[in-house]
Each structure stands twice: as structure tokens, then as C-alpha cells.
Amino acid sequence: MSWVAFAFLSALGNASTSLAFKRAIKNSDALVSTAAFRVLSGLMLVAFVTVMGAWHYPTPGYWRLVAAVLPFEVGGLVCMSLALRSGDLSQVAPISGLLPVFVSIAGALFLHEMPTALSAVGTVLVAAGVYCVGLQRAKSAFEPLLALGRLPSARYAVVSAVLWSLATIVHKYGVAEVGPLMWATTVALGSGLVIAAALPFTRRVVPVMAQTAGSSGGIAAFSHVRLWTGLVIFAAFSFAVQQAALQLALQKAQAGYVIALSSTQTLLATALGLLLLGEPGGQARILGALLVTCGAALVALGG
């Protein structure tokens, strides 16, 4: 498979993860849900890497890269969890779609990956499309920027994008050190274990659903926990697919190209939020979808 196919698969996995995770944390603890799905996805990747025989000897350089990437990865993950907890999926996804812009800047600064003119235009279109998706009918043209000062979810999404853009730079070195599959496993399992280890200090507990008196309350609580478990498993599987595809794409192409193309997850996540979660939308999001699609195509051609 080409890096373009892997990038699109990563986008699909990312959007599916966001949808399942958004529903999982609707009535439960965000950090507990985050730790659960990340650890589970890491274990899925461990099984996959074992079957593929893709393990590598963990060199000292590998451990240094793990120490470097986990603060950015965990920080971005926690911020995204809080963003999804406090805002709509179709609201958070467009803002977090700024990731390719940040990655392109970071790639030029730290990896000396200069995009071609065609890819640069595509990245600009992706950013413009993300901005349009954030516009809302009958509101100011500066609504996406104004939202940063008004909505906690918007601020969390921006911080998450910045942190993950820095993590992406480290991913390039990690993939070169131990291969894409082992590195994907490291990121998923490592971040989950770090958050899980921090839970006792934050006084978080496994979510206990609100119960009412009588047997009907117990049945409702059991049904709720079962739904939460199913959503966490689905999110874990989707994330495992996303991580494996992302690292394979990063092995084949520049970070800016990969992240720009995989940013189509913004459209997928927004569409899922509108169609399946009943979140509000508008014509501006259709224009944004066209701009992001055209931009992604230019990035693919330029890459």
C-alpha cells in the first residue's frame, strides 16, 4: 500500500475513535476512559506486532525517544479528551484539524522537510477548509477565532494540536529506530499506562453510572456499563488501526504530507457528529469539506 492509502486509513481510524470516545465519555470519567482505550489498543497492537514478527531490540536511542514523545503524546491526549468532554465532536474536530499546519511548521523547523509548492497550496487549502467548517450560520466570520476565547473545548483542541504536532516530529525518529509497528505499539501502550498510573493521584475511579432505587436502576446501570465497555473496545480497535497506518505512512513520506492528508479525519469526524450524534451543522461546513478534500488531493499529488 502507498503512503496515501495508509494516511486515509489513519484518517478513518481517527474519526471512528473520536466518535466512539465521545460517546464513551458522555456520562463517564474522561481520563479513565482514555486510559482504558489506550491500554487496550496497545495490547491489540502487541498481539499484531507479535504475529507479524516486527519486534526490534530496544536500543538506548529508542528509550530516549520514548521519554521524549510521551509528554507530548499524553499531554495532547488529555487535552483532546477534555475538549471532547466539554464540546461537540463536530465543533472540536475542525479546530484540531489545524494539526497539519502545525506539523508543516514543525517539520520545516526540526526536520528540514520543505514542502513543494503544490503541497504548500494544499496545506493552505486544508487550513482554510478547517476554518470554514468552524463557521456557523448567522454568526461572525471570526467565529472560529472568537471561540478560542469563549469555549474551553476550543482551547483544549488547539493545545492538543500543538502538542501532537511536536509528537509527530518525534514519531519520525521513533519509526526510523524500531520500525512503524513497534513504535505505534509503544505510543499507544505507553501513553495508556502513563495515564493509568496517574489515576490514583487524581482520585479517579472506574465510572459508576447513576442508579435509581429498585431493580430497574441496577439493570440500567449494568446496561450503561456494558455500553461503555463496548464503546471503549471499539475506540481501542479504531485507534490501533489509526496508529499502525499513521506510522507506516510516516515511514514512507514527509510528516507534513502525511498529517495534511490524514486531516481528512476532520471531515469524517464532523460528518459522523452531524449524522450520528445529531450535532448542528451548516452550509459553511459543506464548503469546508470541499476545501479540505481539494487540499488533501493537492498534498497527495505534490508528495
Side-chain angles (χ1 to χ4, degrees), residues 81-97:
S81 301
L82 295 174
L84 289 172
R85 176 69 168 164
S86 57
D88 291 339
L89 175 59
S90 57
Q91 171 196 77
V92 172
I95 299 173
S96 62

Side-chain angles (χ1 to χ4, degrees), residues 138-266:
K139 290 192 175 183
S140 167
F142 298 100
E143 176 60 24
L145 293 178
L146 296 174
L148 296 179
R150 189 179 67 251
L151 301 175
S153 58
R155 294 194 293 273
Y156 283 131
V158 170
V159 174
S160 175
V162 172
L163 292 173
W164 274 343
S165 69
L166 296 173
T168 301
I169 302 303
V170 185
H171 289 336
K172 289 287 291 185
Y173 293 103
V175 168
E177 188 74 20
V178 295
L181 296 180
M182 181 172 169
W183 185 251
T185 304
T186 299
V187 172
L189 187 57
S191 59
L193 290 175
V194 168
I195 295 176
L199 290 179
F201 300 98
T202 59
R203 298 183 180 179
R204 308 280 178 165
V205 295
V206 175
V208 178
M209 310 305 173
Q211 299 185 27
T212 58
S215 60
S216 60
I219 295 174
F222 175 76
S223 177
H224 211 156
V225 171
R226 186 172 58 180
L227 174 62
W228 177 82
T229 302
L231 290 169
V232 166
I233 293 173
F234 182 77
F237 175 78
S238 299
F239 182 74
V241 171
Q242 183 265 333
Q243 272 295 299
L246 175 63
Q247 305 302 345
L248 287 167
L250 286 172
Q251 186 185 43
K252 296 173 178 288
Q254 292 186 12
Y257 295 163
V258 172
I259 298 301
L261 196 55
S262 64
S263 68
T264 50
Q265 68 88 18
T266 298

